[in-house]
Amino acid sequence: MIGETVSHYRILGKLGGGGMGVVYEAEDLNLNRKVALKFLPNSLESPEVLERFKREARAASALNHPHICVVHDLGEHEGKPFIAMERMKGESLKEALARGPMPIEQVVKLGLQIADGLDAAHGAGIVHRDLKPANVFVTEREEAKILDFGLAKLTGSEKQLLGSEVETAAQEKNLTSPGMTLGTVAYMSPEQARGQEVDARSDLFSLGVMLYEMSTGRLPFAGNTAAEIFNGLLSQKPAPAPEISPKFQQIVLKCLEKDRAARYPSASEVRADLERIGETKRTAIPLKSLVAAVVVVSVAAGWFWHRASRVRWVLETAAPEIARLVDADEYQKAAPLMREARAVLPDDRTLEKLWLQMTGEASIESEPPGAEVSIRPYPGDADAWETLGETPLDKVRILKGEFVFRIAKPGFEPSFFIDGWFVSRRVKLRPEGSVPPDMVAVTGGETTIGYSGGYVPNVELEDYLIDQHEVTNEDYQKFVDAGGYEKREFWKQPFLRDGREITWEEAMSVFVDATSRRGPATWEVGGYPKGMGKHPVAGVSWYEAAAYAAFVGKSLPTAYHWKRASQSDYLPAQLASGGNFRADETREVGSPEALGGFGTSDMAGNVKEWVWNEQRDGKRYLLGGGFGDPHYMFVFTDAQLPWDRRPNYGFRCVKLDTPPNPAATAKLEPVFRDYWKEKPVSDEVFQAYRGLYQYDKAELRARVEKTETTENWTWEEVSFDAAYGNERVVAHLFLPTTGAPPFQAVVFFPSAGALFNERFVPTNIENWGVDFYVKSGRAFVWPIYKGTYERRDGFVPYAPAGSIRDHMILWSKDLGRTLDYLETREDIDSARRAYVGFSFGAWRGPIFLAVDERFQAAILSSGGFVHWNFLPEADMLNFAPRVRTPVLMMNGRYDEIFPLDSSQLPLFHLLGTPAKDKKHVIFDGGHEGGPPAEDIRESLDWLDKYLGSVRRN
């Protein structure tokens, strides 16, 4: 490989190799620095070893410490993964020990450094589990560097590096056995030798073995076989070592305790005891004047040497690594390295530039002033608070990212909100004791509803209180037990049904549970199901919610009050990701991951929440989405009849300081664009718009990344070059096990839920109910469009017009490149392809179909015109008339997002497809459309008509 270029690294020569890797010296062509590239040997390319190799890179990259080898990059060359690490000069500790024992001063120095590195790793939730001399490098400057985190155990939040706890446990089980050589056994802790759970103290046992070997030249538990060494580890005391001083021996023996509870509790305490030994040796010099002068000079020289070494570390190692992390938007990882580097070079221009890149400004005032402002990452450790200072804060720099802010002052209730790195707020603190239990304070201001099918005005709100959690079954039981359904004074609103007012008795006959007793629809015999007390009450109508609010002396929030408290206009994806959406039932309120704006919980998902405002046709709004809903319902509004009592309908209450703004309680009737009257641009102007979507047909450089075969399909994860920047598009291709190639292909564009999820999994096609396309014998293609899943970039459905236009162009190019890729496959029929879009994908579909005419059929499900104003080059109005592809539209008659008369029908009318080749199916349903069986029948009939029947074996 010498002389070859791998990614942006040029191979200069081979440094060495071992059981788990071959290492080359290389030049980083981007940053003009020397690095070490570690490749797996050909003989070890099993899935388990590959995962161990990747684990090493992920674990080490989570750490930035002078005594841990810096991992710069994880890449792949011709199918072979590699790790790019800092280039170090020196030798392994194993090589150094081959020459015999070390002087005690050197042992103490290296032991201090190894303990310091372990302390950093353990603090980040990483246990090494394979600490031994072969995995410690000693540089020419006698600096220890811990290597090879391939068997590292990730704990707490660091498990996110590998996935879920179930996945992590399975991988750890599979990755423990490979590479367990005799040398590794000699450094194992007793608990690891027994196959028990390990923790940070297991690494300290391994450190004790190394300290013993470094100072004596031999192992504490000798043996010629693994069995003999295991016996020593588990049942014998370390061999006597009279050459070790009593104080140092005491440290070693404490590390080597069989019972981990008797060992040091942390690496920092090992480091502290080693430091005390070093200090004792330095003060043991006779205090004569000449010698004292020599000591002063030596100490000064040592300080200057250390200072020069640290400066070189900043310039050669820290600054380039910080730049890499900043470029990757990994600001939390860059932060500790930046703090350490700035402590060495506080006025360095390069560091200052990077600091400005990775931070923003926070300006916060409070009434009264002098409140402490603290932040913690959102989401993240609920106890990881960092103090910024006292109010008023003026342009204090904080890391880029999202944070929970806490403003607290003795004698006042703390105030919370979620915001980013550019924040300017004024908070009025409430006196201590003025906020009832289980309520939180919300700072008022101008508030928007967000997307509600059309335009509704913004409203100015005063400060107010809102329930921290959704009203629970336990809460609602108190209302029932107090005779809530018998006392008319709580039911203050007229009962309107089918345009007429009905009597109290008629209304109460509707509000019954499964056993015809009065109560929520999900209850039985007047009570909630066992074990569900902390779950939100569900199956209640708007009338019941309003009555309960009157019972507790509160009110239902208006849509504006609810929206402001949710902060759904600021962090929709992050807040929705912790919500209970795709489950089959409610969960207990107050889950840590369900934290919302201003300290609320479960505003995203769990149950949809009734709010005060009326819409047209007597409907009332529900906000936030509930279990069983897609994630995007967190930001969209819904309106249903106030009598509806579905299993995911619930509520929470507010307490207002002053009467609400009349505009906030008013009937909300969204204003729609009148697409029946608007006119598209001319053909000449449209061609100019269409030109924005064109791209050069460059080389794809496609490759298959993963493949897996199940009963119904073969799944392939493929990737190819995007039509912009240096990005890659990932597409998931599902090939049917029925039928025969070349297969017809269905290319999918999902709903806005793809903007709220971090990772695509193959089972998505079943979860989204689109697997029937594959089972029908057709190939199904799901590209990962810019802004979705692993390519998320913060885009939201109601983004500014410029962002929508820019993303429309990128999505069109991603779709086009996907078609380019399909044309290279002999098993795909390039003359029989269909576009399928659901909701968000159906809304955008006419633009794609007008720009790229390579589809022979299209299905737009639950889509329509949107009632916002777009830039003309991204306005569906100008593209729909240019569509010629046969189009099937399927919608719900009562869709609140795409209303029938103002959204669905004008789109169908304006589609340029000949009348004989377009069809509009209207189901008696809402946004989700009609019954699945009907949806499947209509879809497959359409594809059979325009693509033909599938080929059979």
Side-chain angles (χ1 to χ4, degrees):
M1 296 184 67
I2 297 173
E4 294 184 20
T5 298
V6 175
S7 182
H8 57 278
Y9 305 102
R10 185 170 62 243
I11 306 295
L12 302 178
K14 187 174 180 179
L15 295 175
M20 279 302 295
V22 181
V23 184
Y24 295 88
E25 184 181 41
E27 180 182 7
D28 186 333
L29 300 177
N30 288 345
L31 298 175
N32 296 321
R33 63 180 175 184
K34 299 290 179 61
V35 298
L37 295 188
K38 179 178 177 180
F39 287 82
L40 273 178
N42 294 333
S43 60
L44 287 179
E45 290 186 353
S46 68
E48 293 82 9
V49 176
L50 284 172
E51 187 54 44
R52 174 178 171 177
F53 191 80
K54 293 177 181 178
R55 172 187 286 221
E56 175 184 352
R58 293 169 183 154
S61 67
L63 304 168
N64 290 295
H65 192 275
H67 298 304
I68 296 176
C69 178
V70 175
V71 170
H72 299 304
D73 194 11
L74 173 65
E76 188 172 284
H77 176 66
E78 297 180 352
K80 295 181 180 295
F82 67 85
I83 299 172
M85 305 176 291
E86 65 174 315
R87 170 68 170 98
M88 301 178 294
K89 294 184 178 181
E91 62 184 352
S92 72
L93 182 58
K94 180 180 179 181
E95 293 170 325
L97 287 175
R99 296 190 294 271
M102 298 176 170
I104 189 63
E105 293 83 3
Q106 186 181 18
V107 174
V108 171
K109 177 183 177 181
L110 294 177
L112 271 167
Q113 295 172 354
I114 297 169
D116 198 32
L118 287 176
D119 186 43
H122 297 163
I126 298 175
V127 180
H128 192 286
R129 296 206 305 182
D130 196 23
L131 190 66
K132 57 187 178 183
N135 287 338
V136 175
F137 194 90
V138 181
T139 69
E140 292 178 342
R141 303 188 185 101
E142 289 196 347
E143 292 181 334
K145 299 269 190 175
I146 303 175
L147 310 171
D148 197 348
F149 283 77
L151 290 182
K153 174 183 173 65
L154 309 180
T155 62
S157 63
E158 291 303 318
K159 286 188 178 179
Q160 295 173 3
L161 293 169
L162 291 179
S164 70
E165 291 191 17
V166 173
E167 293 170 335
T168 303
Q171 290 183 16
E172 287 175 352
K173 181 178 180 181
N174 293 333
L175 297 176
T176 300
S177 55
M180 248 359 136
T181 64
L182 183 63
T184 299
V185 172
Y187 301 91
M188 275 185 175
S189 64
E191 58 269 22
Q192 192 171 1
R194 294 188 183 100
Q196 298 172 340
E197 184 72 10
V198 301
D199 58 20
R201 294 168 294 179
S202 302
D203 283 348
L204 301 186
F205 186 96
S206 303
L207 175 60
V209 175
M210 291 167 56
L211 292 174
Y212 185 103
E213 184 181 14
M214 291 160 68
S215 54
T216 67
R218 61 185 184 275
L219 291 168
F221 308 103
N224 296 320
T225 66
E228 291 176 348
I229 295 175
F230 271 126
N231 183 56
L233 288 172
L234 299 175
S235 60
Q236 296 178 7
K237 293 182 179 181
E243 63 268 54
I244 302 179
S245 68
K247 288 187 177 180
F248 185 77
Q249 190 169 150
Q250 184 178 1
I251 295 173
V252 173
L253 293 178
K254 189 169 183 178
C255 289
L256 294 176
E257 288 284 353
K258 308 292 185 190
D259 181 3
R260 75 179 87 185
R263 293 177 212 149
Y264 286 95
S266 68
S268 63
E269 296 199 21
V270 179
R271 180 184 60 207
D273 278 359
L274 288 172
E275 285 174 342
R276 280 189 280 273
I277 288 181
E279 291 169 358
T280 301
K281 288 189 170 293
R282 285 194 294 271
T283 58
I285 302 173
L287 299 177
K288 295 182 179 179
S289 58
L290 180 58
V291 177
V294 172
V295 170
V296 170
V297 172
S298 298
V299 170
W303 183 88
F304 281 113
W305 179 89
H306 178 72
R307 166 73 178 174
S309 173
R310 296 294 288 162
V311 169
R312 284 195 299 273
W313 170 78
V314 170
L315 299 178
E316 297 174 7
T317 301
E321 179 62 9
I322 294 170
R324 184 189 71 81
L325 292 170
V326 170
D327 188 56
D329 298 336
E330 296 185 4
Y331 309 114
Q332 292 291 341
K333 290 184 180 180
L337 194 59
M338 174 63 81
R339 283 194 290 268
E340 190 172 354
R342 294 183 88 199
V344 178
L345 291 178
D347 299 319
D348 183 76
R349 290 185 178 181
T350 299
L351 292 179
E352 182 63 20
K353 183 179 179 180
L354 289 169
W355 176 243
L356 293 176
Q357 284 182 251
M358 62 189 286
T359 58
E361 294 178 343
S363 297
I364 300 176
E365 298 180 63
S366 69
E367 182 184 334
E372 181 183 77
V373 179
S374 304
I375 61 172
R376 67 171 180 85
Y378 177 84
D381 184 354
D383 298 319
W385 293 102
E386 178 183 346
T387 300
L388 298 181
E390 291 189 350
T391 57
L393 288 183
D394 184 27
K395 297 181 179 180
V396 174
R397 300 206 71 83
I398 59 175
L399 284 179
K400 287 185 177 179
E402 287 74 43
F403 299 92
V404 180
F405 285 75
R406 179 181 66 193
I407 295 85
K409 183 180 177 69
F412 295 86
E413 295 285 347
S415 180
F416 299 86
F417 59 85
I418 299 173
D419 214 321
W421 60 96
F422 281 104
V423 53
S424 178
R425 287 187 179 244
R426 180 178 179 83
V427 177
K428 184 178 180 180
L429 297 176
R430 293 172 178 260
E432 188 173 13
S434 63
V435 178
D438 296 326
M439 297 196 83
V440 297
V442 180
T443 302
E446 186 178 13
T447 306
T448 181
I449 293 298
Y451 185 66
S452 57
Y455 170 77
V456 292
N458 294 351
V459 170
E460 188 73 24
L461 301 179
E462 300 293 332
D463 294 357
Y464 60 97
L465 303 176
I466 191 168
D467 286 347
Q468 183 178 15
H469 309 302
E470 293 159 330
V471 174
T472 66
N473 283 311
E474 286 181 348
D475 298 329
Y476 200 83
Q477 185 74 64
K478 297 174 184 176
F479 170 66
V480 175
D481 293 345
Y485 283 90
E486 285 77 41
K487 298 179 179 179
R488 300 192 181 201
E489 61 264 29
F490 300 131
W491 305 80
K492 302 178 182 297
Q493 308 306 316
F495 299 107
L496 301 175
R497 192 162 197 175
D498 298 328
R500 68 180 184 89
E501 184 172 351
I502 65 173
T503 65
W504 156 271
E505 290 76 17
E506 288 177 301
M508 291 303 108
S509 68
V510 175
F511 304 143
V512 295
D513 63 21
T515 58
S516 298
R517 303 292 182 94
R518 289 180 179 176
T522 56
W523 287 19
E524 292 182 358
V525 198
Y528 55 83
K530 184 178 180 180
M532 301 288 282
K534 300 296 184 184
H535 286 238
V537 65
V540 292
S541 66
W542 179 87
Y543 289 107
E544 290 165 288
Y548 174 89
F551 167 72
V552 294
K554 302 176 184 178
S555 60
L556 288 181
T558 71
Y560 293 95
H561 287 91
W562 193 99
K563 277 286 187 178
R564 185 163 189 85
S566 74
Q567 293 201 258
S568 60
D569 59 335
Y570 176 63
L571 293 174
Q574 293 90 331
L575 290 164
S577 65
N580 178 27
F581 283 101
R582 290 290 182 181
D584 296 326
E585 61 179 2
T586 59
R587 68 183 179 195
E588 286 191 6
V589 301
S591 300
E593 65 270 22
L595 178 67
F598 297 96
T600 58
S601 76
D602 297 292
M603 298 198 81
N606 222 12
V607 289
K608 293 184 177 184
E609 300 181 24
W610 288 109
V611 297
W612 176 262
N613 303 79
E614 184 181 359
Q615 204 216 41
R616 60 181 180 274
D617 302 325
K619 295 180 178 179
R620 298 279 178 166
Y621 279 99
L622 297 112
L623 303 180
F627 74 85
D629 284 337
H631 286 76
Y632 58 78
M633 289 308 297
F634 175 50
V635 297
F636 289 156
T637 62
D638 190 12
Q640 299 295 336
L641 293 173
W643 299 92
D644 286 355
R645 310 171 80 224
R646 298 180 189 176
N648 64 351
Y649 285 9
F651 66 101
R652 75 181 71 215
C653 303
V654 295
K655 186 181 285 290
L656 306 181
D657 298 333
T658 59
N661 184 334
T665 60
K667 184 177 182 180
L668 297 181
E669 296 185 282
V671 177
F672 303 120
R673 286 178 63 179
D674 191 344
Y675 284 97
W676 295 105
K677 295 181 179 179
E678 295 190 44
K679 293 185 179 298
V681 297
S682 68
D683 289 342
E684 182 179 9
V685 173
F686 172 73
Q687 290 305 320
Y689 293 162
R690 187 181 182 188
L692 297 174
Y693 294 78
Q694 305 306 306
Y695 61 90
D696 296 327
K697 298 291 182 71
E699 183 181 355
L700 287 163
R701 295 197 304 150
R703 59 176 180 261
V704 177
E705 308 285 359
K706 301 175 185 176
T707 185
E708 180 180 300
T709 299
T710 66
E711 179 183 356
N712 295 312
W713 53 70
T714 295
W715 162 67
E716 294 182 7
E717 179 185 298
V718 301
S719 69
F720 41 84
D721 283 352
Y724 47 87
N726 295 314
E727 298 192 36
R728 299 276 290 176
V729 178
V730 172
H732 296 271
L733 176 62
F734 298 83
L735 299 172
T737 53
T738 60
F743 299 110
Q744 300 175 18
V746 173
V747 185
F748 185 57
F749 198 113
S751 74
L755 301 169
F756 295 80
N757 290 281
E758 295 183 354
R759 188 166 66 96
F760 180 92
V761 293
T763 53
N764 275 357
I765 70 165
E766 296 169 304
N767 298 336
W768 289 57
V770 290
D771 53 321
F772 69 87
Y773 288 107
V774 191
K775 293 176 180 178
S776 75
R778 296 175 170 91
F780 187 83
V781 191
W782 190 322
I784 304 302
Y785 301 92
K786 181 71 172 176
T788 68
Y789 293 109
E790 290 85 351
R791 302 183 70 200
R792 281 171 53 186
D793 59 3
F795 181 85
V796 291
Y798 49 85
S803 179
I804 291 177
R805 183 267 322 277
D806 294 344
H807 278 79
M808 277 299 316
I809 293 172
L810 297 181
W811 296 329
S812 178
K813 292 179 178 180
D814 288 345
L815 185 62
R817 291 294 274 175
T818 301
L819 293 179
D820 295 344
Y821 171 73
L822 293 179
E823 289 171 353
T824 69
R825 305 234 352 179
E826 294 182 357
D827 54 352
I828 300 296
D829 189 341
S830 296
R832 291 176 170 83
R833 293 171 299 201
Y835 173 87
V836 173
F838 176 71
S839 187
F840 192 75
W843 162 13
R844 266 62 171 151
I847 293 183
F848 303 141
L849 297 173
V851 169
D852 198 321
E853 299 176 347
R854 288 181 284 176
F855 289 105
Q856 288 73 44
I859 299 173
L860 307 181
S861 182
S862 297
F865 277 133
V866 177
H867 296 284
W868 305 334
N869 289 313
F870 298 93
L871 294 176
E873 60 268 30
D875 195 332
M876 281 175 56
L877 173 71
N878 297 323
F879 289 77
R882 276 81 188 187
V883 173
R884 298 293 181 266
T885 308
V887 175
L888 168 66
M889 281 181 59
M890 294 188 293
N891 293 92
R893 186 182 306 276
Y894 309 109
D895 191 336
E896 290 293 330
I897 297 175
F898 299 105
L900 176 62
D901 293 332
S902 60
S903 172
Q904 302 170 26
L905 293 179
L907 171 60
F908 184 75
H909 171 75
L910 281 172
L911 283 173
T913 303
K916 65 182 181 61
D917 294 324
K918 61 181 179 179
K919 179 180 181 181
H920 190 194
V921 177
I922 303 173
F923 298 109
D924 283 333
H927 181 60
E928 295 293 332
E934 289 295 304
D935 180 282
I936 293 172
R937 182 181 62 78
E938 292 285 354
S939 299
L940 295 184
D941 285 350
W942 191 256
L943 296 185
D944 287 344
K945 179 178 181 180
Y946 287 96
L947 301 186
S949 300
V950 298
R951 293 167 58 92
R952 299 297 178 185
N953 292 322

